[in-house]
């Protein structure tokens, strides 16, 4: 071959390579742009998304300014996979990456959001490994992959061009030994994403203009936020794993006799004939008459929630049918259903529909879907990454998506039945905002539990900081306060015979030694749970706003106050709805420092007015609620009830904080069906003018749930 010809061939090949890797830019929805280079993955979060974007709500958001120019996103493809480069300005702060436990601000960190139940040195391992981050500059970036990715959040500079150009001497020029190791790269102008195995880079840009707007677009793009069944916002109590039917009856009577609110009872593994792996068959030894149980609970206003996981036991009636629709490795000798295909979800869903949903089971706790435990070498509680599934998905991508796919399978039944619910789950991934389900964990560090409330809000997730044992009554109350100020209030007594307020110590509890002051502790918990029940109308309305506008009901302060740099580091306070700031106390604290953003704030317990923009030391009693109310708020609080049902009427008192409050809203629907989606709801507008309260109800719904009868001016 002559020299000229070979040059021509090289030129053609190079041209082809450049064309093949050309950047494709596509508008996906208002303010949402997709940038693709190379081949997008088949099992990407976007391809797995079943919901439609709420385009009209996105159009209502303020006009977007390009937070990031799509053309500035650079993708390199090489033999290892894809590398995505996203510009990062010097003054930007980053948040997100799913349900992070150990850190809040993410700039300067290396993040590997990999699904796992153990955080492991803040590498990014998490129950919800969402490949999404938000910038204070007012945009969000979603990497559309289910592979294990690593984000270098402004930590590295790529060597480009002439390496001999002098750019400084490096580290070690200062006075101290520490100077040797100072990271001089923190101001790097990009986020670099490593996606081994990918044949392309696929990036979604969610423009703001503000961080909050970008977050709204992310949630709306995935179908809006979840609106759980109203009863789901009440209290959930999970029974000890070896409870029998009679124990459940006894516990229900205890709650009702002592007027302790409860809406949901959870049954843990032993309700089934086999649990590790699962049979999904009632154990006749533990629960001889399941329908009687469901009906009796219903008569007492208690819904049932069943624990399970997806690894299907040979003892299950669906094992045979699943045999050809499962992965090629077992877990606990059970099959791993291929939820990314078409066959397994149908078998799994149909069986659950007939056996449970049609019989009145209201919800499920979906356990063990988080590749536990990746952090230790001796745990084999999950299928290997090298697994293959009939649909073509591999074990790695299946792990990242397992919770989401499993949830879609189970939730589909409720949707088709026009029944709303509120589930518990151990893993989710991107574009999950519309799912009425809260994440939970076996970890138990109280401060982390609080941080996870703030972090969940950045990624379209809901988090439940469940209460189990404690070391004192004070700690138990603090944990309960955090739980009532979260998306889902759960007492997970799966290893406690009696409720933790009768004995917080695990061993003593199970030996039947109750606290000498058990009645006093019970009274504290009752008071706190009563608050939760009073708060439901406000909370439910915040969820409706999540559903319709994509604003998370629980979100970090920086979401609402991005111009206030003092909020950038505040991970242990968060907004609930638009007007309530929560500052839970961790462990056994009796006071804590609270930063209040600009404006004026009322301590909910004392009505004392505080000027914002400052930090205060606040003391909170065991029956008090660590929240602050923004001046200018009308806060609707209901007379506490013991559970929510279809006929519940909430008797509302409106508390008026300040002289010229902004009108408040309540969202009213049947609380249990999806009919609100077809316009079956009312909005109540509450105004305070000339020292008088006025309510204006607009909408199509005939029945009224909220009766506003009292106004109190603070
Ligand atoms: C764990 C779960 C606990 C409890 C337990 C029962 O994996 O996180 O909440 O359900 O299983 O075996």
């Amino acid at each position: 071959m002559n020299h000229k010809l070979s040059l021509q061939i090289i030129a053609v090949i190079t041209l082809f390579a450049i064309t093949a890797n050309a950047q494709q830019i596509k508008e996906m929805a208002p303010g949402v742009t997709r940038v693709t280079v190379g081949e997008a993955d088949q099992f990407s979060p976007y391809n797995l998304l079943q919901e439609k974007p709420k385009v009209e709500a996105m159009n209502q958001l303020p006009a977007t300014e390009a937070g990031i120019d799509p053309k500035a996103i650079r993708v390199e493809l090489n033999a290892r996979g894809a590398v995505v480069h996203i510009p990062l300005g010097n003054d930007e702060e980053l948040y997100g990456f799913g349900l992070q436990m150990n850190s809040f601000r993410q700039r300067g960190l290396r993040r590997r959001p990999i699904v796992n139940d153990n955080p492991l040195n803040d590498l990014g391992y998490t129950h919800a490994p969402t490949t999404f981050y938000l910038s204070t500059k007012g945009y969000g970036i979603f990497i559309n992959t289910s592979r294990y990715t690593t984000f270098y959040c402004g930590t590295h500079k790529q060597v480009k061009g002439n390496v001999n150009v002098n750019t400084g001497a490096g580290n070690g020029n200062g006075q101290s030994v520490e100077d040797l190791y100072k990271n001089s790269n923190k101001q790097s102008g990009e986020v670099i994403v490593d996606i081994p195995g990918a044949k392309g880079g696929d990036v979604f840009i969610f423009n703001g203009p503000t961080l909050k707007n970008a977050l709204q677009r992310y949630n709306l793009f995935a179908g809006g936020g979840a609106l759980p069944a109203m009863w789901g916002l009440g209290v959930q109590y999970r029974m000890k794993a070896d409870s029998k039917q009679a124990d459940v009856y006894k516990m229900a009577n205890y709650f009702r006799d002592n007027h302790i609110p409860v809406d949901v009872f959870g049954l843990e593994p032993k309700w089934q004939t086999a649990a590790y792996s699962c049979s999904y068959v009632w154990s006749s030894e533990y629960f001889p008459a399941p329908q009687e149980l469901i009906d009796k609970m219903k008569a007492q206003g208690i819904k049932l929630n069943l624990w399970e996981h997806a690894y299907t036991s040979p003892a299950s009636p669906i094992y045979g049918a699943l045999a050809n629709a499962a992965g090629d490795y077992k877990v606990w000798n059970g099959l791993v259903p291929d939820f990314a295909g078409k066959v397994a979800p149908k078998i799994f869903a149909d069986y659950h529909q007939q056996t449970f949903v049609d019989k009145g089971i209201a919800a499920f706790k979906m356990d063990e879907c988080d590749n536990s435990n990746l952090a230790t070498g001796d745990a084999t509680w999950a299928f290997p990454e090298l697994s293959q599934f009939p649909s073509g998905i591999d074990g790695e991508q299946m792990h990242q998506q397992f919770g989401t796919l499993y949830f879609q399978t189970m939730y589909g039944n409720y949707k088709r039945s026009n029944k709303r619910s509120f589930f518990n789950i151990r893993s989710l991934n991107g574009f999950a905002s519309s799912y009425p389900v809260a994440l939970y964990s076996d970890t138990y560090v109280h401060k982390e539990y609080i941080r996870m409330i703030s972090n969940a809000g950045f990624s379209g997730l809901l988090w439940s900081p469940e209460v189990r044992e404690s070391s004192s009554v004070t700690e138990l109350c603090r944990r309960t306060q955090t739980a009532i100020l979260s998306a889902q209030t759960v007492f997970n007594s799966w290893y406690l015979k009696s409720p933790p307020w009768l004995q917080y110590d695990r061993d003593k509890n199970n030996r039947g030694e109750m606290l000498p002051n058990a009645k006093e502790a019970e009274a504290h918990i009752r008071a706190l749970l009563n608050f939760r029940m009073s708060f439901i109308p406000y909370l439910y309305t915040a969820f409706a706003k999540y559903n319709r506008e994509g604003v998370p009901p629980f979100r970090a302060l920086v979401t609402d106050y991005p111009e206030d740099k003092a909020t950038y580091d505040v991970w242990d306070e968060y907004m609930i709805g638009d007007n309530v700031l929560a500052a839970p106390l961790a462990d056994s604290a009796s006071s804590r420092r609270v930063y209040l953003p600009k404006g004026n704030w009322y301590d909910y317990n004392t009505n004392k007015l505080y000027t914002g923009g400052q930090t205060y030391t606040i003391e909170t009693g065991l029956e008090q609620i660590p929240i602050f109310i923004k001046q200018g708020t009308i806060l609707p609080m209901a007379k506490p009830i013991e559970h929510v049902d279809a006929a519940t009427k909430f008797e509302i008192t409106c508390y008026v904080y300040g002289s010229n409050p902004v009108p408040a809203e309540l969202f009213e629907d049947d609380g249990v069906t999806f009919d609100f989606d077809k316009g079956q709801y009312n909005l109540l507008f509450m105004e305070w003018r000339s020292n008088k309260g006025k309510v204006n109800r607009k909408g199509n719904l005939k029945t009224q749930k909220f009766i506003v009868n009292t106004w109190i001016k603070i």
Side-chain angles (χ1 to χ4, degrees):
M1 197 193 304
N2 74 37
H3 181 64
K4 220 170 152 193
L5 184 63
S6 65
L7 272 184
Q8 273 172 357
I9 292 172
I10 290 170
V12 169
I13 292 170
T14 318
L15 190 70
F16 176 76
I18 292 170
T19 326
N21 292 342
Q23 202 194 40
Q24 289 172 25
I25 298 177
K26 194 173 170 199
E27 283 307 308
M28 303 298 286
V32 184
T33 311
R34 179 180 187 170
V35 180
T36 314
V37 173
E39 210 182 295
D41 280 335
Q42 184 188 353
F43 297 101
S44 68
Y46 180 63
N47 282 357
L48 299 175
L49 175 64
Q50 296 179 345
E51 309 300 317
K52 298 231 157 23
K54 286 200 158 148
V55 174
E56 261 172 44
M58 292 167 110
N59 273 327
Q60 300 302 310
L61 293 172
T64 62
E65 300 149 20
I68 285 254
D69 176 3
K71 292 202 189 73
I73 290 182
R74 197 160 57 83
V75 180
E76 295 165 0
L77 300 181
N78 56 35
R80 174 182 165 77
V83 180
V84 182
H85 298 258
I86 304 137
L88 178 67
N90 282 349
D91 51 358
E92 291 178 53
E93 190 50 69
L94 305 179
Y95 300 95
F97 301 109
L99 189 64
Q100 292 298 318
M101 294 191 196
N102 294 157
S103 50
F104 181 64
R105 287 170 86 146
Q106 306 294 342
R107 188 183 184 125
L109 301 182
R110 187 180 76 236
R111 293 289 78 187
R112 273 200 105 196
I114 291 185
V115 68
N116 196 239
D117 64 339
N118 195 301
L120 195 67
N121 299 326
D122 193 24
L123 292 175
Y125 289 15
T126 159
H127 292 284
T130 308
T131 45
F132 178 62
Y133 67 85
L134 286 157
S135 160
T136 46
K137 202 178 153 195
Y139 65 87
I141 293 287
F142 185 82
I143 303 291
N144 187 30
T145 185
S146 303
R147 296 172 192 273
Y148 291 169
T149 52
T150 306
F151 291 74
Y152 297 87
C153 303
T155 58
H156 286 73
K157 279 191 188 120
Q158 194 175 24
V159 178
K160 277 188 284 186
N162 186 351
V163 290
N164 292 319
V165 173
N166 188 354
T167 50
N171 293 344
N173 300 324
Q175 304 297 315
S176 65
V177 174
E178 285 73 35
D179 284 340
L180 287 169
Y181 309 111
K182 267 197 188 143
N183 183 354
S184 54
N185 282 329
K186 283 243 160 114
Q187 290 304 315
S188 135
E190 51 182 19
V191 173
I192 305 165
V193 194
D194 179 26
I195 324 170
K199 294 197 175 66
D202 194 18
V203 183
F204 286 68
I205 306 171
F206 293 88
N207 279 320
T210 65
L211 182 149
K212 189 185 196 171
N213 295 148
L215 179 52
Q216 286 177 269
R217 285 183 205 279
Y218 173 74
N219 293 333
L220 290 168
F221 187 69
L227 182 58
M230 206 182 212
W231 51 259
L233 299 185
V235 178
Q236 179 178 148
Y237 185 85
R238 304 202 67 87
M239 299 288 297
K240 188 158 186 271
D242 57 2
S243 298
K244 295 196 163 166
Q245 190 155 344
D247 301 318
V248 179
Y249 291 160
K250 240 169 96 185
M251 193 63 85
N253 290 338
Y254 162 75
F255 270 85
R256 292 295 175 240
D257 291 349
N258 291 283
H259 304 291
I260 301 169
V262 71
D263 266 285
V264 179
F265 268 2
L267 304 185
E268 289 285 320
K270 286 191 82 71
W271 68 267
Q272 299 177 66
T273 52
Y276 283 88
S277 44
C278 288
S279 66
Y280 320 109
V281 173
W282 287 98
S283 153
S284 56
E285 186 192 342
Y286 285 78
F287 291 93
Q291 197 59 52
E292 180 200 280
L293 172 79
I294 296 168
D295 296 341
K296 274 202 171 176
M297 289 301 102
K298 192 173 173 205
Q300 285 178 284
I302 298 174
K303 309 270 185 306
L304 283 178
N305 169 313
L306 297 182
W307 174 101
E308 64 161 57
H309 58 72
Y311 305 131
T312 306
S313 162
S316 172
I318 55 174
Y319 183 89
L322 281 176
N324 293 322
D328 56 353
Y329 288 84
K330 290 183 176 181
V331 180
W332 293 303
N333 200 31
L335 293 173
V336 182
D338 183 3
F339 290 130
K342 294 246 176 314
V343 181
K346 180 147 181 22
I347 297 168
F348 207 86
D350 286 353
Y351 176 81
H352 278 79
Q353 176 84 44
Q354 287 148 20
T355 320
F356 304 113
V357 182
D358 290 347
K359 302 271 161 61
I361 293 299
F364 288 87
K365 167 172 166 176
M366 301 172 44
D367 207 28
E368 313 291 6
C369 47
D370 53 6
N371 199 5
S372 85
N373 184 330
L374 204 59
T376 63
D378 60 353
T380 53
W381 286 17
F383 51 92
E385 270 76 0
L386 50 82
S387 302
Q388 298 291 328
F389 290 82
S391 63
I393 196 170
D394 63 29
E396 174 182 320
Q397 297 179 77
M398 186 58 128
H399 270 306
Q400 293 286 81
Q401 295 297 344
F402 201 58
T404 301
L405 293 169
Y406 179 22
F407 181 80
Q408 288 174 346
T409 302
M410 296 286 281
Y411 181 50
N413 284 336
Y414 286 88
K415 275 177 127 181
R416 284 185 289 273
S417 311
N418 197 22
K419 281 183 192 162
R420 270 154 62 203
S421 183
F422 201 15
F423 281 39
N424 321 42
I425 202 164
R426 273 248 301 262
S427 104
L428 283 172
N429 203 320
F431 297 143
S433 56
S434 76
Y435 302 152
V437 56
L439 290 147
Y440 64 92
S441 182
D442 282 345
T443 65
Y444 205 45
V445 179
H446 194 170
K447 282 198 173 127
E448 290 178 4
Y449 269 30
I450 295 169
R451 186 186 290 117
M452 286 150 90
I453 298 178
S454 298
N455 275 340
F458 292 128
S459 300
L461 303 165
L462 301 171
W463 158 245
S464 169
E466 65 179 37
V467 183
R468 305 198 292 267
E469 78 273 42
S470 283
S471 60
S472 64
V473 170
T474 305
E475 189 198 327
L476 183 76
C477 290
R478 297 307 179 208
R479 285 188 177 275
T480 304
Q481 287 166 344
T482 305
I484 59 169
L485 298 173
S486 78
Q488 194 183 51
T489 303
V490 177
F491 290 90
N492 185 7
S493 290
W494 75 274
Y495 51 69
L496 299 173
K497 205 164 172 189
S498 301
W501 50 88
L502 300 181
Q503 174 56 267
Y504 51 74
D505 178 275
R506 177 178 178 164
D507 293 336
K508 289 183 183 160
N509 184 310
N510 288 327
R511 283 203 302 269
E513 290 170 35
M514 297 299 118
L515 287 173
N517 57 346
K519 278 286 158 194
E520 208 179 294
E522 182 189 77
H524 295 326
I525 301 300
R526 184 189 297 107
L528 296 175
L529 299 186
N530 278 341
F531 167 83
R532 171 71 178 201
M533 301 310 283
S534 299
F535 202 44
I536 284 180
Y538 176 84
L539 203 53
Y540 191 69
T541 302
F543 271 99
K545 191 161 172 174
Y546 188 33
N547 179 263
R548 293 143 50 92
E549 295 172 34
V551 179
F554 296 85
R555 56 192 186 273
L557 298 192
V558 65
T559 319
D560 284 31
Y561 298 93
E563 69 293 337
D564 181 353
K565 290 207 163 160
T567 64
Y568 281 21
D569 247 337
V570 182
W571 55 265
D572 58 353
E573 300 173 27
Y574 48 89
M575 297 302 298
I576 307 179
D578 290 336
N579 302 313
V580 175
L581 182 152
L585 292 87
D587 306 319
S588 300
S590 55
S591 68
R592 61 160 285 174
R593 303 279 286 161
V594 178
Y595 176 73
L596 297 171
K598 70 159 195 254
N600 294 318
W601 299 84
Y602 291 84
D603 181 329
Y604 176 78
N605 304 299
T606 60
N607 290 334
K608 188 172 163 189
L609 189 61
Y610 290 91
T611 308
Q614 292 178 50
T615 303
Y616 299 91
T617 298
I618 308 288
E619 288 186 12
T620 307
L622 297 184
E623 291 186 14
Q624 292 185 319
I625 316 296
I627 57 174
F628 295 82
I629 316 297
K630 201 188 274 181
Q631 189 172 46
T633 294
I634 298 173
L635 183 68
M637 293 293 286
K639 190 171 157 209
I641 46 174
E642 287 179 34
H643 73 275
V644 180
D645 65 30
T648 301
K649 302 263 182 236
F650 291 89
E651 292 174 41
I652 308 260
T653 299
C654 284
Y655 293 87
V656 181
Y657 291 90
S659 303
N660 291 305
V662 282
E665 222 178 88
L666 279 176
F667 177 85
E668 187 177 59
D669 75 332
D670 64 21
V672 286
T673 72
F674 292 92
D675 293 354
F676 71 89
D677 256 348
K678 295 176 217 125
Q680 286 300 306
Y681 65 88
N682 298 325
L683 288 173
L684 275 70
F685 299 95
M686 293 158 305
E687 282 182 78
W688 177 256
R689 280 217 215 116
S690 326
N691 276 329
K692 253 188 83 136
K694 220 182 93 196
V695 183
N696 193 356
R697 182 180 259 105
K698 287 190 181 148
N700 294 327
L701 193 78
K702 295 279 169 301
T703 45
Q704 301 188 352
K705 266 202 153 45
F706 301 129
I707 317 295
V708 182
N709 45 22
T710 316
W711 293 75
I712 295 178
K713 170 86 173 54
I714 304 296

